[in-house]
Amino acid sequence: ASRTRARSKVGMSKIAPEFLKTCVQAVFDGSNDRKRKFTESIELQVGLKNYDPQKDKRFAGQIKLNHVARPTMRICVLGDAYHCERAEQEGVDFKTADGLKSFNKNKKLIKKFAAQYHAFLASDSMIKQIPRLLGPGLNKAGKFPTLITQAESLSAKMDELKSTVKFQLKKVLCMSVAIGHVNMDIGEASDNIKLAINFLVSLLKKNWQNVKSLHIKSTMGKSQRIY
């Protein structure tokens, strides 16, 4: 942990805080000039260098940001009786074990179901049954459920999912993650961006030497280069 903290201190010295705020402001201004009928996300776009996805170890990691990044994220609870009742009370979509059995392991139906949601939460008893009930469908979609216990608040657990970003190197040297939305204030957006960048840099084998470029943009807006 101390190494990550030390790296983090090195991290943001590469991007001056005032410059970052100016870029975030430009993203917000662009969004305000052309109001959309939906809440635009703020995306962090990353370009890497000195990496060979074929030979180098591909990294993957996730971090919970300080502020909810994706408020409109669609989440479904795969629950036992307790969690299904909680989900119903809070107006959250849910499925029981019987609901999952009704798919009859039909790959097309499971794929369609997975595509309806960004993420899933599942009770302990349900997580163990998912491979048997659904096969590898959710795993293939990169949406294997996150465990929720009866001691945890459903709304807090959902906020945690909505605040978590994942960095994963695949076959190309660029990636994009949603780190906020245009209805946050500038301080919150800047805070999320700093945290996400510092975490990403800590995953890279040569830290900042592997970062080619960093841009931020709203869903429909122009990109602003911050590094």
Side-chain angles (χ1 to χ4, degrees), residues 63-148:
I63 183 171
K64 180 182 176 291
L65 303 177
N66 292 336
H67 312 281
V68 170
R70 295 180 288 170
T72 55
M73 189 179 187
R74 293 188 305 279
I75 297 169
C76 181
V77 175
L78 310 178
D80 54 20
Y82 174 82
H83 281 128
C84 286
E85 193 180 318
R86 293 299 304 276
E88 191 169 24
Q89 285 168 2
E90 297 192 28
V92 178
D93 288 2
F94 64 90
K95 277 259 190 267
T96 60
D98 286 344
L100 297 183
K101 276 178 197 157
S102 70
F103 289 130
N104 268 337
K105 287 196 177 172
N106 181 313
K107 286 180 184 174
K108 274 190 179 171
L109 288 177
I110 292 166
K111 191 176 179 182
K112 193 176 171 187
F113 172 62
Q116 287 177 322
Y117 300 97
H118 295 113
F120 295 89
L121 285 170
S123 312
D124 188 33
S125 59
M126 287 290 280
I127 274 204
K128 294 165 187 160
Q129 296 182 65
I130 282 163
R132 185 170 57 80
L133 294 174
L134 298 180
L138 293 186
N139 228 355
K140 276 185 179 169
K143 294 177 184 177
F144 193 79
T146 299
L147 174 68
I148 180 167

Side-chain angles (χ1 to χ4, degrees), residues 154-167:
L154 180 58
S155 56
K157 195 72 178 178
M158 286 174 61
D159 277 349
E160 187 181 311
L161 276 184
K162 291 174 183 180
S163 307
T164 300
V165 294
K166 185 176 184 179
F167 291 102

Side-chain angles (χ1 to χ4, degrees), residues 1-123:
S2 58
R3 239 170 75 212
T4 308
R5 269 204 296 275
R7 282 176 181 175
S8 297
K9 281 178 186 167
V10 174
M12 280 315 291
S13 62
K14 295 272 184 185
I15 303 170
E18 282 312 308
F19 174 65
L20 177 62
K21 274 196 173 166
T22 304
C23 293
V24 173
Q25 182 70 62
V27 169
F28 276 70
D29 289 346
S31 175
N32 287 331
D33 287 345
R34 295 193 66 180
K35 274 285 182 200
R36 308 284 170 176
K37 288 179 180 173
F38 65 96
T39 301
E40 288 185 87
S41 293
I42 299 173
E43 295 161 19
L44 173 66
Q45 298 177 325
V46 180
L48 300 176
K49 62 182 180 181
N50 305 330
Y51 247 102
D52 183 344
Q54 304 302 321
K55 293 178 187 168
D56 290 324
K57 189 174 177 231
R58 293 188 191 176
F59 61 80
Q62 58 184 41
I63 183 171
K64 180 182 176 291
L65 303 177
N66 292 336
H67 312 281
V68 170
R70 295 180 288 170
T72 55
M73 189 179 187
R74 293 188 305 279
I75 297 169
C76 181
V77 175
L78 310 178
D80 54 20
Y82 174 82
H83 281 128
C84 286
E85 193 180 318
R86 293 299 304 276
E88 191 169 24
Q89 285 168 2
E90 297 192 28
V92 178
D93 288 2
F94 64 90
K95 277 259 190 267
T96 60
D98 286 344
L100 297 183
K101 276 178 197 157
S102 70
F103 289 130
N104 268 337
K105 287 196 177 172
N106 181 313
K107 286 180 184 174
K108 274 190 179 171
L109 288 177
I110 292 166
K111 191 176 179 182
K112 193 176 171 187
F113 172 62
Q116 287 177 322
Y117 300 97
H118 295 113
F120 295 89
L121 285 170
S123 312

